[in-house]
Amino acid sequence: MKTIATSKGNRIERLMRGALLTGASAAAIFAASTARAQDAPAGAAPSAQSEEATETTGDIVVTGSRIKSPTLTSPSPLQAVTAEDIERTGRLDIQEVLQSNPSFGVPGQSRNTSNYGALSAGLSTVNLRGLGANRTLVLIDGRRVVAGVPGSAQVDLSMIPSSFIERVDVLTGGASAVYGSDAVAGVVNFIYRKNFEGVQLNAQTGISEQGDDNQYSANLTAGGNFADGRGNVIAYAGWSKQGAVSSASRARSRSDQTSIGALQRSNNRTDANLTAAQNLFKAQRNFSTVVPASTFNAGTANYIVDSAGTVRPFSSATDGFDRTPFDNISVPIERRNFAARANYQVSEGINFFAEGSYANTTSKGLLEPSPLVPTGALGLFRQGNGRYNIEQVVTNPANAAQSQIVRNPLVPAGLYNVATDTNGDGFRDVAVSRRLAEFGQRFAIFDRTTLRMVVGAEGKLGDKWNWDVSYNWGKTTADSRLTGLINQDRAVQALNVIQDVYDANGNGNTAEAICASAEARAQGCVPWNVYGAGKASAASIAWLGVDSTRNAVQTLDVAAANLSGSLFDLPAGAVQVALGAEYRKESSSEVFDPLSIAARNAYVQQTNTSGHFDVKELFGELVVPLIHDTPFIHSLTLRGAARMSDYSTVGTFYAWNAGVEWAPIPDIRFRGVYAHAVRAPNIGELFAAPAISISSVNDPCAGVTATSTGTTSTTCRADAGVAANIAANGVFTLSQSDLQGVGGLNVSNPNIQEESARTWTFGAVINPISIHALRNLTLTVDYYNIKLDDAIARTSRDFILQQCYLNNDPDFCSLISRRTIASGPYSAGSIQLVNSQLINSGGASTEGVDTTLSWRLPLGGATASFAASWTHLIRQGGIPLTGAAFDRSDGEINTPKDRASFSVGVDTDSFGVNFNGQYIGASYLDDQYRARFLLADGALPDKKYFRVDSAFYADMQMRFTVDKGFEFFAGVNNLLDTQPAPVITGLTGSVTGTETAAGTYDPIGRRYYSGVRLKF
């Protein structure tokens, strides 16, 4: 990893600048908020609330159950992040707050991982247990939320106003019996404020130590009662803005680079692979071979027209293009949120409620100018070797008997002289690759709006039964535009240029360059000069330039009715039941521009998708208290739930769970749940049209020679392009473009079936209320085990490559196509396409232990608090295909064996301080990747060479109560300026533009913030 030396004076100057800009002072230690155990200690002091902002309580519904009860506890592991916890992190994005909880895996989409997402920049999703965002169900007040990712069930958390949140319940383990499909890994339930009185104003600003990542936030919450307290209205308005962080602003990602070890690795059994392993986390510059001046395949070599107009052989070392100055680590985001809720008690037993929200998120991804390549599924020419003629026969339009061979007058003489006829038509030809700098940096502009409305009624039947009915509607519109692209069909015409020797356009100029096709000229074709940087005319840029567009809509309609209450009393208590019915309909559509659909804009293929489904569900839940207040059994309770779902797409299936809670004494409670959870395929998985995308791969053929032995070498050399590459270079050699420009057809599957999961959780809750000094201490320990059958998954391209070249499996080899000859920036034998389809795979599983600890105690005139959460991963992985071996991922980058977070704080009436910490255990590169570094004796290099160290992040916040209802706060996130693991380009887990695994490690660095909170 590269470092930059700085003077002590410069470092202090940066520190002082950050402190002055935010009002924060840098102090050292600890980080990241932690989630507290929901199993609140009996008799614990409640969180302080202002007299002006009070909320009522009564029967409650614990997340994971639909039964209303003031005493019900959760048999499944349940943690809560309170409004106070959120405030004490200083983070504007609720996703970042939740990510410090170790039960969450790397997010599917986040601000730090989505810059290169053509349709996802600025999205915030969550991923419980690392099983995928589609297997985490996000709710608001126990009700579903319309997806923010069209075609999926993934909710965009940026639409949730953080200051409107009372708490966030995180329930881990299958909950499909209670909430339906998608709750395979668990549920994240956002509980909004209710019955609020008063006004609360929050404002905050922040900046990183490097002077970027500017953050601003302001929001207002107001509420009050009416009709003599029978009704309440609460409204919220908020705005936030987070600035960009460029790749070039951090030393580790200042220029395009690749892991030295990844480049050195050989497919031979050789001790040279030990050296390669030792160099994995060292970087060397590796610029793109697609450059603004163009590179030309002419004859048998690659040429460039340099700034002096000289045609010479292309050198990647001196002529390559550095993409980094154009890229981002974090995308800029601006959010606008409005929300309101009202309830009115019509009578003693009936209460009407309504709530609505509007959320708009805009963001802008920044990408380097688009690369234009001559061949391939996304190339300029779909067939042949990608070459076009630079001379041709031209016939006099006024005299058909008169013709002559005419050169393209834009082609320099030096390039014409080295060009040859490669297709046998008698004319010289070349192939061009070009970085489209004249069309500007690409901007991925996103505008997402989410509307949500819930109306309903609730009430009581007698004193033992509760009922509620509701209608829930939501709509997400996601519009995006990517600039800096071209119309490739027009580009083909604009490269077909001749000298107008017969004055075809009648302007009297027979020396000018014109488009050769009369039809193209009639449409406005303008010759495109690609023979050097900055040569294209403004007219040709206007003729060729296009944007890609996408308009997507996702809707959700849910009608639900619930009834819960007590059936009868047993000696140990009332037998409680909940029954309900739900009807849900989801629809989604994505519409793209014609060039995106045809893959003719020098980007990727994006195709229209539309689909819908509906589901009718019946569900029930039962809680039976068996024994109470007997020796060794303070309480013993059984519980169960079941749900029948009838989908219009996959038919009828069932989900259920059974649990037990046993407290031998009031201080200790044991709990366990077995659940059968189900997830139906979503709209995108069923109905998405095939589309071609670009991805990075690790080519197993890299390093193969003419004499290397083994299945991999034999299978690779059987390809004519690979053999030609070896003959030319002595070893199969690949460029950066070869590894990062691999296309592939992504195919959905209308015949895919639902996946199911078997989940076990067993644990204990210890709250020693009988010991006065420890009565506010709670310790929970829970074992979890989730096994997915028929998991819906897309076979990874790396797995397809491994099965072909390591095992010579013809079924997988048929999904791969390679280039037979060199073309543009691509080498002979390089991978052109790897196709992949969604399947019901062999399954996936995860197993581990969660431990949480919280303690709150008086300390003189102050209150001290401590909370910690630790997850130890025992085993995690998946079976890519039925019958394949289980591929373990636990302990690898993005799935560390151990993650923990803690928070410690002290509060008085006028001052408060807290330190938060987050620990990420040491991790390793993918074991399948390590298996490619075979030594001469068949052994592998020591695992230590594939290891990244553990990381510890620390945050701090101080709060000052200046006057009643007026609080000033200031803080530092990533206080120790912990640098991210050096997961360099070329290594598994690296996020483009960040040079690290940006979903796991903080890629920004130390940040300061300050703000005020006003309550009236």
Side-chain angles (χ1 to χ4, degrees), residues 288-298 301-305 312-316 319-320 372-374 388 415 430-435 530-532 823-826:
S288 170
T289 55
V290 183
V291 301
S294 300
T295 53
F296 297 93
N297 285 129
N302 290 327
Y303 296 89
I304 188 174
V305 182
R312 57 174 175 78
F314 175 80
S315 170
S316 58
D319 298 325
L372 177 71
V373 295
Y388 62 94
L415 182 60
V430 298
V432 63
S433 301
R434 185 174 180 85
R435 183 70 58 177
V530 296
Y531 308 97
S823 177
Y826 301 120

Side-chain angles (χ1 to χ4, degrees), residues 785-1007:
N785 186 313
I786 303 175
K787 292 186 177 179
L788 270 169
D789 296 321
D790 299 321
I792 299 171
R794 186 176 302 281
T795 307
S796 76
R797 289 180 168 84
D798 278 337
F799 178 79
I800 292 170
L801 291 168
Q802 291 167 20
Q803 294 303 304
C804 173
Y805 294 106
L806 274 63
N807 300 326
N808 195 21
D809 188 319
D811 291 335
F812 286 97
C813 290
S814 67
L815 301 174
I816 303 166
S817 64
R818 290 180 178 271
R819 296 176 177 87
T820 56
I821 61 174
S823 177
Y826 301 120
S827 309
S830 60
I831 299 171
Q832 182 167 308
L833 286 174
V834 183
N835 297 330
S836 178
Q837 182 181 37
L838 277 172
I839 59 171
N840 287 110
S841 70
S845 66
T846 183
E847 179 185 9
V849 177
D850 289 331
T851 303
T852 71
L853 176 67
S854 64
W855 193 12
R856 190 179 182 93
L857 70 160
L859 191 66
T863 299
S865 60
F866 175 81
S869 182
W870 169 46
T871 294
H872 173 68
L873 197 57
I874 298 172
R875 189 171 187 263
Q876 181 158 323
I879 303 173
L881 200 67
T882 300
F886 184 82
D887 180 17
R888 294 188 65 162
S889 60
D890 51 285
E892 296 178 352
I893 290 171
N894 290 329
T895 52
K897 280 277 193 182
D898 293 284
R899 289 189 63 199
S901 59
F902 73 87
S903 175
V904 58
V906 177
D907 284 274
T908 69
D909 291 338
S910 59
F911 174 77
V913 61
N914 65 277
F915 297 94
N916 299 326
Q918 184 182 12
Y919 170 81
I920 300 170
S923 305
Y924 297 85
L925 295 174
D926 191 312
D927 60 346
Q928 301 295 318
Y929 183 69
R930 178 177 175 241
R932 301 177 189 176
F933 288 74
L934 287 170
L935 303 179
D937 60 359
L940 294 173
D942 194 296
K943 197 173 180 179
K944 68 182 181 181
Y945 298 120
F946 301 82
R947 179 181 186 272
V948 296
D949 292 336
S950 60
F952 179 74
Y953 294 99
D955 302 342
M956 170 193 167
Q957 184 184 101
M958 293 183 292
R959 298 169 297 282
F960 306 89
T961 303
V962 181
D963 197 359
K964 182 179 180 181
F966 175 42
E967 181 179 80
F968 170 78
F969 61 93
V972 187
N973 287 329
N974 196 351
L975 186 59
L976 304 178
D977 201 22
T978 301
Q979 296 302 299
V983 187
I984 304 164
T985 296
L987 301 181
T988 55
S990 180
V991 174
T992 302
T994 70
E995 298 303 313
T996 188
T1000 296
Y1001 304 100
D1002 175 18
I1004 299 176
R1006 184 183 289 124
R1007 303 180 290 285

